[in-house]
Amino acid sequence: MAGETLVGPAPDGWEYTTLAVACQRGGGDIQTGPFGSQLHAADYVPIGIPSIMPQNIGDNRIVEEGIARIAQEDARRLSRYLVRAGDIVYSRRGDVERRALVRDNENGWLCGTGCLRVRLGDRGPDPRFATYYLGHPAVREWIVRHAHGATMPNLNTALLGACPFVVPPPNEQRAIAHILGTLDDKIELNRRMNESLEAVARALFKSWFVDFDPVRAKAEGRDSGLPNHIANLFPDSFEDSELGEIPTGWCFRTLSDVLSVLTDGSHSSPATTEFGLPMASVKDLTPWGVVVSTCRRISPRDFDGLVANGCQPSRGDILLSKDGARCLEIACEYQQEDQIVLLSSVAILRPKKRNWSSYIHTWLTLPSTRIYLREGFVSGSAIPRAVLKDLKRVELLVPSDQAVGAFDDEVEVLRERIRNNVNESATLARARDALLPKLISGEMRVGERTERSIHE
């Protein structure tokens, strides 16, 4: 097994071994997270040490949003499972090819139930190089192919440890990691910028449509701070409703009242093809769109059949995760040119009025909305899911068309910046994915000259 070459013949000075041997030489190891008997659902707390679960493993990064947490005393009890910066975390079940490098700010978090932790050790290969090697398409395919389980792939320490691993000289490891890491860092910066822009949109929404600041200012004879043409769109008084005090003339309606389409993707799963058209599921959904590169491919015939069945989103639709660990927690405005179809894990919400898309999307991303949806419209203990007939009776506040239009105008500038960042990140990801196999295989060599330029 150690002699198996996944990424091509090793150049002179490079060594093929296995991941387990590389870890052992460096003073590290591969370890599973705690078993369920060591950590129960009742042990999780609102504030504490983050516990990395499979759903928190993103694209080589840990996704902190919605992460579970444990108390300090449990962290001490389970100290052998705490991760260090430079560790690599894998999911033990399901999407076993995904991995995440532990960064400095995640030092001391828990490798949670359902995960595996790879530690290269202080004398081992560069962890950043290792995580890119493990992201090579051939290596990912090897891990999936060797994972146990017909319906649900399972990973264990022996299997992952047997994965062939190539070790270039240290200077080339660092140079490869630097080149690919620079692209990833820019992608991460764009992601954080988008989070900030979304936060601005949510703050404006909360001010106008939750706290009713413009209405309160007018009712109290104060200046709202808004331009007159916007302030004039808000009423100057409140009235009672079944759900509390709301601005005069506004009302609560159900999603079925404000949407022309509320459906989901295909409830059958066509065969995967090596080349074909993209079919997205909840794993491909982000707050800013669908990652088409991660979608599996289906035949044109199957694709056309799903289009005819209404499984294709249109620009301006809102896509909402309705199955899985993040049920009703991921929503995006679909503004892409890509032609895709969806699996049933994603719902399609199409507003009756086009300029309502930003309003409904932003409302869905509010923490208060997520709590409301999670507590009232999610069923299933093993796999959380929402049923379309239940979603139709979800209630939301319906302001005047003019106020909603003004909100749409205000946030469109933010949305445009978000879309630009997403497009730039997609370009960078394609460049990274094209470079990665060439660098990891040694087809494109870097070395002392590159290493010197890194430190200059």
Side-chain angles (χ1 to χ4, degrees):
M1 189 75 72
E4 185 175 351
T5 59
L6 293 182
V7 299
D12 291 342
W14 295 32
E15 178 195 8
Y16 251 113
T17 180
T18 65
L19 185 58
V21 171
C23 291
Q24 290 165 5
R25 288 178 181 174
D29 61 2
I30 303 174
Q31 178 182 281
T32 62
F35 292 103
S37 59
Q38 295 173 278
L39 192 62
H40 303 91
D43 295 325
Y44 295 111
V45 296
I47 301 174
I49 305 298
S51 176
I52 306 163
M53 302 293 194
Q55 60 265 30
N56 305 120
I57 299 176
D59 183 13
N60 201 21
R61 291 187 181 271
I62 294 169
V63 179
E64 187 175 357
E65 184 180 1
I67 200 167
R69 297 174 185 272
I70 61 171
Q72 288 282 357
E73 52 268 30
D74 283 325
R76 286 191 290 270
R77 176 172 61 85
L78 301 170
S79 59
R80 63 175 297 202
Y81 301 106
L82 299 182
V83 298
R84 302 175 191 166
D87 287 350
I88 301 167
V89 182
Y90 268 90
S91 170
R92 288 171 52 199
R93 295 183 295 274
D95 196 359
V96 294
E97 63 184 295
R98 293 173 73 87
R99 83 279 177 224
L101 179 67
V102 177
R103 268 74 179 180
D104 290 338
N105 63 301
E106 296 144 358
N107 193 63
W109 291 13
L110 182 76
C111 176
T113 302
C115 289
L116 282 167
R117 186 264 294 147
V118 178
R119 179 167 293 162
L120 280 303
D122 296 336
R123 303 182 305 278
D126 187 306
R128 298 170 305 156
F129 164 79
T131 195
Y132 285 118
Y133 172 85
L134 294 168
H136 189 291
V139 179
R140 295 173 68 152
E141 190 276 334
W142 187 97
I143 291 172
V144 171
R145 177 161 41 90
H146 285 78
H148 301 296
T151 57
M152 176 72 74
N154 282 268
L155 207 54
N156 57 45
T157 56
L159 190 154
L160 190 58
C163 180
F165 189 80
V166 69
V167 185
N171 64 312
E172 294 204 60
Q173 292 180 42
R174 290 190 293 269
I176 290 169
H178 173 80
I179 292 168
L180 299 175
T182 299
L183 297 171
D184 266 345
D185 288 344
K186 176 54 178 170
I187 292 171
E188 174 64 9
L189 177 61
N190 285 346
R191 186 190 67 80
R192 292 181 181 180
M193 289 174 60
N194 284 355
E195 284 186 342
S196 297
L197 294 168
E198 286 285 4
V200 172
R202 284 194 295 272
L204 182 63
F205 185 101
K206 187 173 183 294
S207 173
W208 286 13
F209 304 118
V210 177
D211 298 332
F212 310 129
D213 290 335
V215 182
R216 296 190 189 283
K218 293 179 74 173
E220 297 168 7
R222 294 184 289 105
D223 182 3
S224 66
L226 296 174
N228 286 336
H229 72 279
I230 294 179
N232 291 338
L233 303 176
F234 292 86
D236 59 5
S237 61
F238 292 90
E239 61 185 30
D240 291 329
S241 75
E242 292 183 359
L243 297 176
E245 190 179 61
I246 60 174
T248 301
W250 296 8
C251 61
F252 282 93
R253 291 285 185 266
T254 64
L255 279 178
S256 61
D257 292 328
V258 299
L259 300 176
S260 60
V261 172
L262 176 52
T263 187
D264 57 11
S266 174
H267 286 252
S268 62
S269 185
T272 300
T273 60
E274 184 176 357
F275 303 102
L277 298 167
M279 183 176 197
S281 67
V282 68
K283 74 175 179 62
D284 309 303
L285 193 63
T286 77
W288 307 294
V290 174
V291 183
V292 178
S293 62
T294 65
C295 294
R296 68 185 186 89
R297 303 285 160 162
I298 62 174
S299 71
R301 179 177 179 178
D302 287 334
F303 186 93
D304 290 343
L306 294 180
V307 170
N309 287 332
C311 299
Q312 183 178 47
S314 301
R315 292 191 67 178
D317 287 351
I318 300 152
L319 306 185
L320 178 65
S321 60
K322 60 178 282 288
D323 291 346
R326 302 192 66 191
C327 179
L328 303 184
E329 291 189 3
I330 308 178
C332 72
E333 281 187 85
Y334 190 74
Q335 297 288 357
Q336 299 168 228
E337 299 288 350
D338 305 282
Q339 298 297 303
I340 65 168
V341 291
L342 302 169
L343 269 171
S344 62
S345 57
V346 181
I348 301 173
L349 287 68
R350 186 168 300 153
K352 290 180 178 177
K353 300 175 181 178
R354 194 168 187 83
N355 66 350
W356 277 68
S357 182
S358 293
Y359 177 89
I360 296 172
H361 170 257
T362 307
W363 175 76
L364 286 168
T365 67
L366 296 179
S368 56
T369 302
R370 289 176 173 172
I371 293 171
Y372 164 61
L373 295 177
R374 187 165 56 243
E375 292 181 349
F377 302 93
V378 176
S379 59
S381 54
I383 302 178
R385 59 171 45 90
V387 181
L388 290 179
K389 66 179 180 61
D390 293 331
L391 290 179
K392 290 179 179 179
R393 54 185 181 82
V394 168
E395 290 188 306
L396 74 162
L397 181 67
V398 175
S400 67
D401 284 342
Q402 293 81 3
V404 171
F407 176 77
D408 183 63
D409 291 341
E410 290 292 313
V411 301
E412 178 54 31
V413 176
L414 305 177
R415 297 282 192 249
E416 183 63 26
R417 290 177 63 186
I418 287 172
R419 288 193 287 271
N420 289 340
N421 287 339
V422 168
N423 291 336
E424 181 185 47
S425 292
T427 300
L428 293 170
R430 286 192 294 271
R432 177 202 62 199
D433 294 344
L435 280 172
L436 190 150
K438 297 178 183 295
L439 291 170
I440 293 297
S441 67
E443 177 185 345
M444 180 181 293
R445 297 296 297 273
V446 292
E448 292 182 0
R449 184 170 55 187
T450 308
E451 178 72 4
R452 285 197 302 269
S453 68
I454 290 171
H455 296 287
E456 289 175 353

